[in-house]
Amino acid sequence: MTISKINELAKEVLDIEANSILRLKNNIGEEFDKAIDILYNCKGRVIVTGMGKSGIIGKKIAATLSSTGTPAYFLHPAESTHGDSGVITRNDVIIAISNSGETQELMNLLPLIKRFGCEMIGMTGNINSTLAKTSEVVLDISVEKEACPLGKAPTASTTATLAMGDALAVCLMEKKGFTKEDFLMYHPSGKLGKGLTYKVRDLMISGDKMPIVSENETFTDVINTISEYKLGMAMIISSDKKLLGVLTDGDIRRTIIKYPNTSNLKIKDVMTVNPKRITEEAYAASALNLMEKYSITALPVVDENNIPVGVIHVHDLLRAGVA
């Protein structure tokens, strides 16, 4: 086969597999919604099972679920009938994968699943199969054809299965409100977790670099402080050094609009009281979450007595790879 023909075949494979995923959009509906509800309400773990290539895809689906807040475990169907089915409890949900829906090793496992009374989600390319008929919910992962020229090797079908599994995991993440902080717990090491392991104390500005002013300062003096420190804000403290409020660039604009003459204004009269704040022991990802939620670019960092010990700025988070 010439290089040009090889390239054409490769493109055909990618087209077939891409189309197999796009066709799945037509299968997202009531059954998918039921599957999400079952998984969301699962009191135990999600047990994923499948044989051969379906099993390999099942391992990846289980891993993705586990790393995104849904405890999951892969159970090899052949080993399950030789003792490994002991991992199943009555609180678990089963995701059983078989393109044909008739895989013998999986069929041998079905009586055990029914004995435990577990709800089962069947992922199959044959909605008239035994697996489909014995599942509480059926997710249709059928494809028009495999990318293999012989039409035998699982190619497009495994791609479709993997994509459906990702759709389940992502929708569960959203439904559970899975956050960056949650992600950190499951990915503390490696490239995925890089940046998320930082604490606020690691990235905050402290010491004489903090823009701190007294509550008795004038509005004009505080503007000068903000301009000098270039953080877009200043922290206002009381006589006992506790945080009372902040003045931000936005506060300055609003004050100038409201007061034609600002020369006699005291900062305590126009500052934002009870501002958002964070402790130095919090994760930097938590600081980023507050900034995103409230559309702010800098947070005061305080100790247990509400005394400012630093400022954390969104630019520092970006440089550290937290965002």
Side-chain angles (χ1 to χ4, degrees):
M1 181 179 289
T2 65
I3 293 178
S4 61
K5 288 185 178 180
I6 289 176
N7 289 344
E8 287 303 313
L9 179 58
K11 292 176 182 179
E12 182 181 354
V13 170
L14 296 176
D15 282 340
I16 292 172
E17 300 214 7
N19 288 332
S20 73
I21 294 176
L22 292 176
R23 288 184 71 251
L24 290 181
K25 293 169 67 175
N26 298 323
N27 300 339
I28 301 298
E30 185 177 349
E31 289 292 286
F32 186 86
D33 294 340
K34 289 180 182 177
I36 292 296
D37 286 340
I38 289 173
L39 293 169
Y40 179 77
N41 293 311
C42 176
K43 303 301 182 184
R45 296 167 302 169
V46 177
I47 306 297
V48 185
T49 186
M51 194 69 189
K53 304 300 186 298
S54 292
I56 294 172
I57 298 300
K59 289 179 182 179
K60 195 276 179 183
I61 292 174
T64 300
L65 288 169
S66 291
S67 70
T68 53
T70 301
Y73 180 85
F74 177 76
L75 175 62
H76 196 292
E79 299 293 341
S80 68
T81 53
H82 293 276
D84 283 7
S85 59
V87 302
I88 303 175
T89 73
R90 297 184 186 279
N91 292 323
D92 295 335
V93 170
I94 311 297
I95 296 179
I97 306 170
S98 171
N99 190 42
S100 68
E102 303 292 346
T103 304
Q104 188 57 53
E105 292 85 354
L106 205 56
M107 297 301 102
N108 294 339
L109 179 59
L110 292 183
L112 291 172
I113 294 172
K114 295 304 176 183
R115 179 182 175 185
F116 282 109
C118 298
E119 290 185 285
M120 186 166 68
I121 299 168
M123 295 178 66
T124 180
N126 182 2
I127 59 174
N128 296 313
S129 62
T130 302
L131 175 60
K133 292 175 182 177
T134 54
S135 297
E136 277 69 33
V137 173
V138 180
L139 298 180
D140 184 358
I141 52 170
S142 60
V143 298
E144 289 184 330
K145 64 177 180 178
E146 299 287 5
C148 167
L150 302 177
K152 300 295 183 182
T155 45
S157 58
T158 49
T159 299
T161 306
L162 181 61
M164 184 65 80
D166 286 342
L168 288 172
V170 170
C171 290
L172 278 170
M173 283 179 65
E174 184 69 18
K175 192 173 179 71
K176 290 183 175 183
F178 193 80
T179 66
K180 290 180 180 179
E181 289 81 0
D182 298 323
F183 190 84
L184 169 62
M185 286 194 299
Y186 302 118
H187 302 84
S189 300
K191 189 173 181 180
L192 289 177
K194 185 179 180 182
L196 293 179
T197 55
Y198 286 115
K199 295 291 186 71
V200 168
R201 66 169 180 267
D202 299 322
L203 303 175
M204 70 182 188
I205 297 164
S206 59
D208 58 7
K209 296 181 180 179
M210 294 188 295
I212 294 180
V213 296
S214 165
E215 61 179 314
N216 295 316
E217 295 282 347
T218 66
F219 177 69
T220 302
D221 288 338
V222 178
I223 290 178
N224 291 332
T225 299
I226 292 174
S227 299
E228 178 184 351
Y229 285 85
K230 297 180 174 61
L231 292 175
M233 59 90 77
M235 296 181 289
I236 320 302
I237 60 171
S238 61
S239 57
D240 56 0
K241 301 187 183 304
K242 293 186 178 181
L243 181 69
L244 292 177
V246 297
L247 190 76
T248 67
D249 289 339
D251 292 326
I252 293 172
R253 289 191 294 271
R254 286 186 287 272
T255 300
I256 290 174
I257 291 172
K258 184 176 181 180
Y259 298 94
N261 183 1
T262 61
S263 58
N264 296 318
L265 279 177
K266 293 290 186 181
I267 194 60
K268 61 183 178 182
D269 297 324
V270 294
M271 68 183 181
T272 296
V273 298
N274 194 29
K276 303 303 176 187
R277 68 202 75 185
I278 199 163
T279 65
E280 59 183 329
E281 291 302 316
Y283 280 112
S286 297
L288 179 63
N289 181 52
L290 277 174
M291 291 178 185
E292 291 177 336
K293 185 175 181 180
Y294 295 102
S295 300
I296 52 183
T297 58
L299 276 175
V301 183
V302 297
D303 64 13
E304 64 275 10
N305 297 314
N306 195 36
I307 295 175
V309 294
V311 177
I312 187 162
H313 197 278
V314 68
H315 290 164
D316 299 311
L317 297 174
L318 290 169
R319 278 193 291 269
V322 178

